[in-house]
Amino acid sequence: MQNFEFYNPTRIIFGKDTIAQLADHVPSEARVLVLYGGSSAEKNGTLAEVRAALGTRTVREFGGIEANPTYETLMRAVATIRAEGLDFLLAVGGGSVIDGTKFVAAAVDYKGDAWDILRTHGADVTGALPFGSVLTLPATGSEMNSFSVISRTETREKLAFGSPHVFPRFSVLDPTKTYTLPVRQVANGVADAFTHIMEQYLTYPAGGMAQDRFAEGLLLSLIEIGPKVIASPHDYDLRANLMWIATLALNGLIGAGVPQDWATHMIGHELTARHDIDHARTLAIVLPAMLRVRKDAKRGKLLQYAERVWNLRDGTEDERIESAIARTSAFFESLDIPTRLSAYGLGTETIDGVIGQLAQHGMTALGEHQDVTLEVSRRVLEASL
Amino acid sequence: MQNFEFYNPTRIIFGKDTIAQLADHVPSEARVLVLYGGSSAEKNGTLAEVRAALGTRTVREFGGIEANPTYETLMRAVATIRAEGLDFLLAVGGGSVIDGTKFVAAAVDYKGDAWDILRTHGADVTGALPFGSVLTLPATGSEMNSFSVISRTETREKLAFGSPHVFPRFSVLDPTKTYTLPVRQVANGVADAFTHIMEQYLTYPAGGMAQDRFAEGLLLSLIEIGPKVIASPHDYDLRANLMWIATLALNGLIGAGVPQDWATHMIGHELTARHDIDHARTLAIVLPAMLRVRKDAKRGKLLQYAERVWNLRDGTEDERIESAIARTSAFFESLDIPTRLSAYGLGTETIDGVIGQLAQHGMTALGEHQDVTLEVSRRVLEASL
């Protein structure tokens, strides 16, 4: 096992009818900016519950944060906070809104050009406004981690930052708030969480027994509930499990003390930035190809994945590995998520552009061995056509 | 899944040669009391590393905290802190020292008789001195939770308290510091962690998929490493896995959103208080009998345990359940931990005394259904003779 530091101070308030508990966790003197995305938080009643819980506190609202939250929009929220002297943020929505809120929290008192927060991946963030979240879409894990991904429309860039200053103080997870989500978003959430786990699990054996068992347990659970949680939107236990699994998939726990990959995400980000494909769908396109191209370096873990997650014990090593990768693709497809670039109308001509963006962002040595060069990324994209 | 709140702000610093990092986590102006147990922390060099890391800070030391830390001893530490104006505590040892440090931290500024902290199980603790820990014995999980068990010599009582004010600020877990532990203590650590998991897992099915998979993953890992981690004291990965598994077994994670039992612990505490049997050994005595006596109420989870942990799929339900319980006992015995009261020289005559203590401590409705009456506890003790 590798040396590690694990620290996660976010308080999770989980369950039915928990939004009213905001009253206990937002300071009573706080001047609050509520940030949200489109109209769904209003329509499904979540914003009304939030307003009721905040009571007589000073509250301003800022809607319109995009599915891939943009620097341009978020800087308008920063201006509002400065103009109105607000001091506490509350994100109401999914990972996009929470990611955006993290950036806003870090940007308000940031010295210099706020885009540098992304350029330096958060290294020089020295503080942030306190904030909490009310999660409505299980997927990204942003509700219990210190990471954020922000896009810039002007330059078609999508970059990540992280900082211990942007852990949410608390996150309220009420599974009933996911009942009205569109099927496509739930499916994306399953695929996103699945890939988060794989990025931390499918590397090379490093002797982290609990980490491996936890990751496998989350994968097995997602495989068990994946199609059901989409087909039965009002099944509380299914939605509750998806919500908690997606949080656990990226709260630092399963990745502590083991190598991590994240090459699939880096390529996926460029596909979203250039071609507007949903984040989770880019992962479903890239992951199977990534596993095939890097089969030899990942052999030990691929065999473990085949056995413990897919119960594949017969045939040669290569047969078991290929079968496990094929089942991974089939799982995504069972969620109605196509796993080939061609299904999104993209062909060979798209590859040079993505590789160019990776080069521009310094993504030339990705993965757990830093051996995913631009040439390897090119082969992955070719394998995902 | 049940509604829950999960909050655990303890920072874990895990790995080889990590004690020097104390310098970054104990405030530089702190006036520190280092608390420890017997002579092993000195002999194996841990205390020397701690002193070096604390550098020029004001440091006092308080040794002699017992395996079952006593109120009487700990109140002497409280007096030292008050007399010397110390403001930060550092526990160096296992769960006993950390539990004791939690009590000391809560008692220093406690209004009234400090034994009331135990009598009220921590309900009226409103603050505590900040403290960290350097763990040398994987077992109790105290390094990453807010619970503590304290004994009172005078009255032969052993009571627990918990408070959000007594989470360690940080805990340093260096697996190499466990290399010199006596075999008996390592075996006890395995049994203790195993039973902590069972208390949160082996209740009734409650739809917590990740919680169940995590608990099963920890149990499978302990079963895999149990005898090996004792036989190979210098195998870093084995010791590292035991250390992290024991922490994860009781840091709130696997018990969040699911029912919990803890009847085995409550009876075990009385056996320790009255007969000086090691804590973990009392659990190994009580747990198998507890599962047999409550087989019907626990049937669903016992069958799941049989299948997923012990791979038992053949035979009738009762056969699979009995086989899983027998394997549980055999696992403890494989660690050289006897699982019968008679092996500790105790017979029928001991039962009235234990039941009397349970009655005195209000332990008359234990377990996940609060249906473990004194009569049920008596049957459990009879079944463990």
Side-chain angles (χ1 to χ4, degrees):
Chain A
M1 203 185 305
Q2 299 176 352
N3 283 12
F4 67 86
E5 192 169 309
F6 178 79
Y7 172 65
N8 193 322
T10 299
R11 183 186 302 272
I12 298 294
I13 299 144
F14 190 103
K16 269 181 193 149
D17 302 324
T18 45
I19 292 179
Q21 294 181 39
L22 283 175
D24 304 326
H25 298 287
V26 177
S28 56
E29 302 302 312
R31 295 173 55 82
V32 185
L33 184 66
V34 174
L35 300 99
Y36 60 96
S39 55
S40 61
E42 186 75 74
K43 277 191 210 148
N44 69 18
T46 306
L47 274 177
E49 285 187 52
V50 167
R51 289 183 196 118
L54 292 176
T56 58
R57 293 169 181 85
T58 298
V59 175
R60 298 286 178 273
E61 297 184 2
F62 185 93
I65 295 178
E66 304 90 340
N68 291 293
T70 67
Y71 171 76
E72 291 84 353
T73 298
L74 299 169
M75 289 308 289
R76 289 193 292 111
V78 170
T80 301
I81 292 160
R82 288 174 179 157
E84 306 238 5
L86 306 176
D87 57 17
F88 196 97
L89 309 183
L90 186 63
V92 179
S96 305
V97 176
I98 303 172
D99 277 15
T101 300
K102 289 174 178 175
F103 175 75
V104 170
V108 166
D109 291 322
Y110 186 78
K111 310 293 178 216
D113 175 3
W115 187 246
D116 284 345
I117 294 172
L118 279 309
R119 277 207 200 93
T120 62
H121 304 298
D124 57 354
V125 172
T126 57
L129 280 191
F131 68 97
S133 86
V134 175
L135 184 69
T136 58
L137 171 56
T140 73
S142 189
E143 63 279 7
M144 198 183 183
N145 67 36
S146 57
F147 302 105
S148 165
V149 181
I150 304 296
S151 299
R152 189 161 186 171
T153 312
E154 183 194 349
T155 55
R156 288 221 151 224
E157 289 178 290
K158 181 169 180 176
L159 295 175
F161 86 100
S163 163
H165 298 288
V166 296
F167 278 108
R169 297 294 168 105
F170 61 80
S171 287
V172 177
L173 280 59
D174 181 343
T176 68
K177 293 301 159 201
T178 72
Y179 288 176
T180 54
L181 284 171
V183 162
R184 178 188 179 109
Q185 288 192 18
V186 179
N188 283 354
V190 174
D192 197 18
F194 192 95
T195 312
H196 288 161
I197 301 160
M198 291 291 275
E199 296 275 28
Q200 300 164 85
Y201 167 69
L202 211 304
T203 56
Y204 54 87
M209 296 176 75
Q211 294 91 327
D212 281 4
R213 292 283 187 189
F214 280 15
E216 289 153 0
L218 296 177
L219 293 170
L220 285 164
S221 300
L222 282 177
I223 291 165
E224 187 177 336
I225 66 174
K228 285 190 272 184
V229 75
I230 295 167
S232 308
H234 291 267
D235 184 313
Y236 180 80
D237 266 345
L238 286 173
R239 291 288 163 123
N241 276 299
L242 174 59
M243 205 165 205
W244 190 220
I245 288 165
T247 300
L248 293 167
L250 197 52
N251 73 346
L253 184 71
I254 64 170
V258 296
Q260 303 193 22
D261 186 340
W262 297 104
T264 293
H265 268 70
M266 295 306 113
I267 298 177
H269 285 173
E270 305 299 357
L271 283 171
T272 298
R274 291 183 66 82
H275 301 288
D276 288 329
I277 304 173
D278 296 353
H279 171 60
R281 291 170 179 242
T282 68
L283 305 176
I285 295 165
V286 177
L287 180 65
M290 183 70 77
L291 298 177
R292 279 198 184 92
V293 167
R294 295 163 66 196
K295 185 175 75 173
D296 289 332
K298 289 180 179 290
R299 179 168 295 266
K301 252 346 198 350
L302 279 167
L303 289 167
Q304 184 178 323
Y305 172 62
E307 178 178 334
R308 292 195 187 170
V309 176
W310 294 107
N311 201 26
L312 299 166
R313 292 153 199 273
D314 301 325
T316 67
E317 285 190 5
D318 282 345
E319 285 167 356
R320 278 175 275 151
I321 288 172
E322 177 49 37
S323 183
I325 297 173
R327 284 175 195 230
T328 307
S329 294
F331 176 65
F332 292 137
E333 299 274 355
S334 79
L335 307 170
D336 271 333
I337 297 180
T339 57
R340 293 272 171 197
L341 279 171
S342 50
Y344 299 84
L346 298 176
T348 318
E349 74 291 345
T350 200
I351 294 178
D352 279 343
V354 173
I355 295 296
Q357 286 279 78
L358 285 169
Q360 194 180 324
H361 294 138
M363 305 290 178
T364 56
L366 301 172
E368 66 270 19
H369 292 296
Q370 291 91 52
D371 59 357
V372 180
T373 59
L374 293 177
E375 181 49 37
V376 176
S377 291
R378 181 179 293 277
R379 279 192 277 133
V380 169
L381 287 163
E382 287 166 355
S384 67
L385 283 169
Chain B
M1 202 185 307
Q2 300 176 351
N3 282 14
F4 67 86
E5 192 168 309
F6 178 79
Y7 173 65
N8 193 320
T10 299
R11 184 185 302 271
I12 297 294
I13 300 144
F14 190 102
K16 268 181 196 149
D17 303 324
T18 45
I19 293 178
Q21 295 181 38
L22 282 176
D24 304 326
H25 298 288
V26 177
S28 56
E29 302 302 312
R31 295 173 55 82
V32 185
L33 184 66
V34 174
L35 300 98
Y36 60 98
S39 56
S40 61
E42 186 75 73
K43 277 191 210 148
N44 69 17
T46 306
L47 275 177
E49 286 186 50
V50 167
R51 288 181 196 119
L54 293 176
T56 58
R57 293 171 182 83
T58 298
V59 175
R60 299 286 178 271
E61 296 184 1
F62 185 93
I65 296 179
E66 304 91 341
N68 291 294
T70 66
Y71 170 77
E72 290 85 352
T73 297
L74 299 170
M75 289 308 290
R76 290 193 291 110
V78 170
T80 301
I81 292 161
R82 288 174 180 158
E84 307 239 6
L86 306 176
D87 57 16
F88 196 96
L89 309 182
L90 186 64
V92 178
S96 306
V97 176
I98 303 172
D99 277 14
T101 300
K102 288 175 179 174
F103 175 76
V104 170
V108 166
D109 292 322
Y110 187 78
K111 311 292 178 215
D113 176 2
W115 186 246
D116 284 344
I117 294 172
L118 278 310
R119 278 206 199 93
T120 62
H121 305 297
D124 57 355
V125 171
T126 57
L129 279 190
F131 67 97
S133 87
V134 174
L135 184 69
T136 59
L137 170 55
T140 73
S142 189
E143 64 278 8
M144 199 183 182
N145 67 37
S146 57
F147 303 105
S148 164
V149 181
I150 302 297
S151 298
R152 190 162 187 171
T153 311
E154 185 193 348
T155 53
R156 288 220 152 225
E157 289 176 291
K158 183 170 180 175
L159 295 175
F161 86 101
S163 163
H165 298 288
V166 297
F167 278 107
R169 297 294 169 105
F170 62 80
S171 286
V172 177
L173 280 59
D174 181 344
T176 68
K177 293 300 159 200
T178 72
Y179 288 176
T180 54
L181 285 171
V183 163
R184 178 188 179 110
Q185 287 192 18
V186 179
N188 283 352
V190 174
D192 197 17
F194 192 95
T195 312
H196 289 160
I197 302 161
M198 292 290 275
E199 296 274 28
Q200 300 165 84
Y201 167 70
L202 211 305
T203 56
Y204 55 86
M209 296 177 74
Q211 295 91 326
D212 282 4
R213 292 284 185 187
F214 280 14
E216 289 153 0
L218 296 176
L219 293 170
L220 284 164
S221 300
L222 282 176
I223 291 165
E224 186 177 336
I225 66 174
K228 286 189 271 185
V229 75
I230 295 166
S232 307
H234 291 268
D235 184 314
Y236 180 81
D237 265 345
L238 287 173
R239 291 287 162 125
N241 276 298
L242 175 58
M243 204 165 206
W244 189 220
I245 289 165
T247 300
L248 292 168
L250 198 53
N251 73 347
L253 185 71
I254 63 170
V258 295
Q260 302 194 22
D261 185 341
W262 296 104
T264 292
H265 267 70
M266 295 306 113
I267 298 178
H269 286 173
E270 305 299 356
L271 283 171
T272 297
R274 291 183 67 81
H275 301 288
D276 288 328
I277 304 173
D278 296 353
H279 170 60
R281 290 168 179 244
T282 68
L283 305 177
I285 295 165
V286 177
L287 179 66
M290 183 70 77
L291 297 178
R292 280 200 183 89
V293 167
R294 294 164 65 196
K295 185 175 73 172
D296 289 331
K298 289 179 178 292
R299 178 169 295 267
K301 250 352 197 344
L302 279 166
L303 288 167
Q304 184 177 325
Y305 172 62
E307 178 177 334
R308 291 196 189 169
V309 176
W310 294 107
N311 201 26
L312 299 165
R313 291 153 198 272
D314 301 325
T316 66
E317 285 189 4
D318 281 346
E319 283 166 358
R320 277 175 275 153
I321 288 171
E322 177 49 37
S323 183
I325 297 173
R327 284 175 195 231
T328 307
S329 293
F331 176 65
F332 291 137
E333 299 274 355
S334 80
L335 306 170
D336 271 334
I337 297 181
T339 55
R340 294 270 170 201
L341 279 171
S342 50
Y344 299 84
L346 298 176
T348 318
E349 73 292 346
T350 200
I351 294 179
D352 280 343
V354 173
I355 296 296
Q357 286 280 77
L358 284 170
Q360 194 180 322
H361 293 139
M363 306 289 178
T364 55
L366 300 172
E368 66 271 19
H369 292 296
Q370 291 92 53
D371 61 356
V372 181
T373 60
L374 293 177
E375 181 48 36
V376 176
S377 291
R378 180 179 294 276
R379 279 193 278 134
V380 169
L381 287 163
E382 286 166 356
S384 67
L385 283 169

